[in-house]
Amino acid sequence: MESPAARNPNWLELPRELTASILHRLGAVELLDTVQKVCTTWRNICKDPAMWRTVDMRNSGDTYLLPYDMEKMTMHAVDLSCGQLEGINIENMENFASDQLLLYIADRSSQLKRLQLVRCCCEDISSEAFSEAFKKLPLLEELHLYFTAFDKGDIEVAGRFCTLLKSFKLNRQAYKHPGKCDDEALAIAESMPELRHLQLFGNMMTDNGLSAILDKCPHLEFLDLRQCFNVSLAGDVGKRCFVRIKDLKRPHDSTDGRGFVTELLDSEMFDDDDDSDGLFDPFESDYLDYDDYNYLDANHPHY
């Protein structure tokens, strides 16, 4: 028969390194709001800067109903890293992510290599803040953006100051009949020559924009063009992609299991009598699911 002690092991007797590894699998919100309040041992572990080299500020609820201030909590997590922060994910914080928060992170995280922003309102983070932040992040290697107001100018600034950038994602809602615009593709081509990984989900670029990227990004290995319906991959540009790119996802490839907004909208659905600005609002969507993405895993596959 098992003894009571065997059935109810003392978690405090685990080696500190093992306990830290287990706790680190939780998000920053759980660590700050719950874990560090359990006992003195866990609280001391949560104060170790090594626990905060990667910070996952993922919020799955309604930010208006949260009992705490997510912006202040994120700042506290950055402070706990003591300048050792290497990766941060700010997700579902449309009412908290701001110029102040982005600059706070940049001012205290000169070692930052990975930055991911998911569902940040265009009113909350300005182009000026992006520009000022990128100047202070010279080691940034990965910039992943989901449903943010990141435009051509922001791309050019990011590429100019973050010269080590190897992975860039700019994911948006796709339309059945998109307009044509190569501005973002041309900005990527001119400012991000060291890219190995590029994902432009739902972009309006054409084969011309893609050709410019292939010309100016010679190290590109992974290219995701899903729902970029103006790209035909015909002729020379298609041949270049199939020969050079090790992992190519084409415009009509499946989006199953990728955690994107995959519902196609028709641009004609917005008429002149509509009070909206004709833009899709990802914050009102029921199609977001990022459960398959573990940002806290330092060994997560980027490609």
Side-chain angles (χ1 to χ4, degrees):
M1 296 288 292
E2 276 189 315
S3 66
R7 291 195 301 269
N8 301 289
N10 187 351
W11 291 95
L12 297 181
E13 294 179 357
L14 288 174
R16 179 185 175 91
E17 295 77 11
L18 180 56
T19 301
S21 178
I22 294 171
L23 297 181
H24 196 252
R25 285 163 169 75
L26 299 173
V29 174
E30 289 82 3
L31 290 175
L32 294 172
D33 189 50
T34 305
V35 172
Q36 67 173 347
K37 300 175 182 178
V38 171
C39 62
T40 301
T41 299
W42 285 16
R43 182 174 181 82
N44 289 336
I45 290 175
C46 289
K47 289 182 178 180
D48 186 348
M51 288 286 290
W52 303 97
R53 286 179 183 151
T54 55
V55 171
D56 186 2
M57 294 304 301
R58 183 185 311 213
N59 165 50
S60 59
D62 189 333
T63 52
Y64 287 109
L65 302 178
L66 294 177
Y68 36 72
D69 187 322
M70 288 290 289
E71 183 175 65
K72 290 182 179 179
M73 185 175 283
T74 305
M75 291 177 177
H76 183 44
V78 171
D79 291 339
L80 287 170
S81 73
C82 297
Q84 298 183 29
L85 185 65
E86 295 181 357
I88 186 167
N89 173 39
I90 299 177
E91 183 172 331
N92 294 345
M93 288 175 56
E94 59 268 24
N95 302 313
F96 292 92
S98 64
D99 287 2
Q100 178 184 1
L101 178 59
L102 183 62
L103 294 175
Y104 192 91
I105 294 170
D107 286 337
R108 293 159 178 80
S109 309
S110 61
Q111 304 300 310
L112 194 68
K113 296 179 180 179
R114 301 181 298 276
L115 173 61
Q116 174 166 289
L117 301 175
V118 181
R119 299 176 73 185
C120 294
C121 290
C122 56
E123 295 88 356
D124 294 334
I125 300 181
S126 66
S127 293
E128 291 77 15
F130 273 125
S131 178
E132 189 64 27
F134 290 139
K135 293 177 183 178
K136 302 173 182 179
L137 301 174
L139 300 184
L140 197 68
E141 296 180 2
E142 300 177 22
L143 179 59
H144 298 170
L145 305 167
Y146 297 75
F147 316 111
T148 61
F150 205 75
D151 59 21
K152 171 188 174 182
D154 299 324
I155 292 172
E156 293 172 343
V157 170
R160 185 186 317 138
F161 294 110
C162 306
T163 58
L164 301 181
L165 205 61
K166 294 179 175 63
S167 178
F168 181 58
K169 296 183 180 182
L170 186 61
N171 294 291
R172 295 200 170 107
Q173 170 65 33
Y175 288 85
K176 296 177 182 177
H177 308 288
K180 295 181 179 181
C181 181
D182 284 318
D183 288 352
E184 292 172 347
L186 295 176
I188 291 169
E190 293 298 330
S191 64
M192 299 181 177
E194 297 300 319
L195 286 182
R196 271 69 172 172
H197 178 286
L198 177 61
Q199 186 176 81
L200 294 173
F201 193 91
N203 198 271
M204 295 190 295
M205 72 176 181
T206 68
D207 283 351
N208 291 332
L210 176 57
S211 181
I213 290 174
L214 294 174
D215 287 341
K216 298 297 183 68
C217 301
H219 308 294
L220 203 59
E221 299 176 349
F222 175 97
L223 180 59
D224 190 343
L225 301 171
R226 283 174 296 175
Q227 296 195 355
C228 296
F229 296 128
N230 291 326
V231 173
S232 68
L233 294 178
D236 180 65
V237 69
K239 292 179 182 178
R240 293 169 66 192
C241 281
F242 295 127
V243 171
R244 281 188 44 196
I245 306 301
K246 295 179 180 179
D247 190 346
L248 174 65
K249 298 188 185 303
R250 295 169 292 184
H252 293 278
D253 282 354
S254 172
T255 60
D256 289 347
R258 294 304 302 164
F260 295 119
V261 172
T262 57
E263 181 195 35
L264 291 176
L265 297 185
D266 193 330
S267 57
E268 296 177 359
M269 69 185 292
F270 301 104
D271 55 38
D272 294 337
D273 296 328
D274 193 342
D275 292 334
S276 72
D277 55 8
L279 298 176
F280 172 75
D281 184 357
F283 312 121
E284 296 179 358
S285 173
D286 295 326
Y287 295 89
L288 286 171
D289 181 6
Y290 294 88
D291 290 341
D292 64 334
Y293 188 83
N294 182 8
Y295 193 82
L296 283 180
D297 184 356
N299 298 313
H300 71 277
H302 307 310
Y303 308 138

